[in-house]
Amino acid sequence: MPISEDAVREALKQVIDPELFINIIDLGLIYLVTVEEVEEKSNVKIEMTMTSPACPAGPQLISQAKTVVGSLPGAGEVEVKLVMVPPWTPDRMTEDARDQLGIF
C-alpha cells in the first residue's frame, strides 16, 4: 500500500527538537515531502531546515526523521536533504508551537 504525504508528516511529528521540545512539523522545519512509488515500495524525499544554520541538533533530527519514516509500512528509500533557503523563521511554526514557546 502506498505511503501518503500525510502519513509521512504524521510520522515526523515523533521527531522532537531536543532544545525546544516541539516536533519538527509544528516547528515548520519540514519544507517538502515527496513520495514516489517504486516496485511496491514508497521512496520518500524530505527537504527540511533547521532553526539556525549552526543548530547542534541537526544531525540528530535528520537521523530521527529517516528512522521514523523508514519504519512506516511499505517504506523504501528515505532521503532527507537539509536546505537553508528559504531561511526558517518563527512564522513557519503552528499556533500550538507558538503558544508552547510563548510567542504571540
Side-chain angles (χ1 to χ4, degrees):
M1 173 179 234
I3 297 173
S4 69
E5 178 182 342
D6 288 342
V8 171
R9 289 183 180 276
E10 193 62 34
L12 289 170
K13 288 182 179 180
Q14 298 174 57
V15 180
I16 307 296
D17 183 296
E19 295 174 321
L20 300 175
F21 306 107
I22 298 173
N23 73 69
I24 62 176
I25 292 292
D26 287 345
L27 281 173
L29 299 182
I30 303 301
Y31 285 176
L32 182 67
V33 173
T34 55
V35 180
E36 180 183 352
E37 297 307 309
V38 179
E39 298 177 12
E40 298 183 29
K41 293 282 185 183
S42 297
N43 291 341
V44 181
K45 293 183 181 181
I46 300 165
E47 288 186 9
M48 69 179 290
T49 194
M50 298 292 137
T51 55
S52 72
C55 178
Q60 177 184 350
L61 295 176
I62 291 168
S63 175
Q64 288 179 357
K66 285 182 180 180
T67 299
V68 298
V69 173
S71 70
L72 290 171
E77 293 180 25
V78 178
E79 177 186 337
V80 179
K81 181 179 178 184
L82 184 61
V83 296
M84 291 299 182
V85 177
W88 179 87
T89 66
D91 293 342
R92 296 193 52 85
M93 296 183 346
T94 63
E95 281 191 43
D96 287 344
R98 284 193 204 111
D99 288 348
Q100 288 180 36
L101 295 175
I103 299 172
F104 303 102

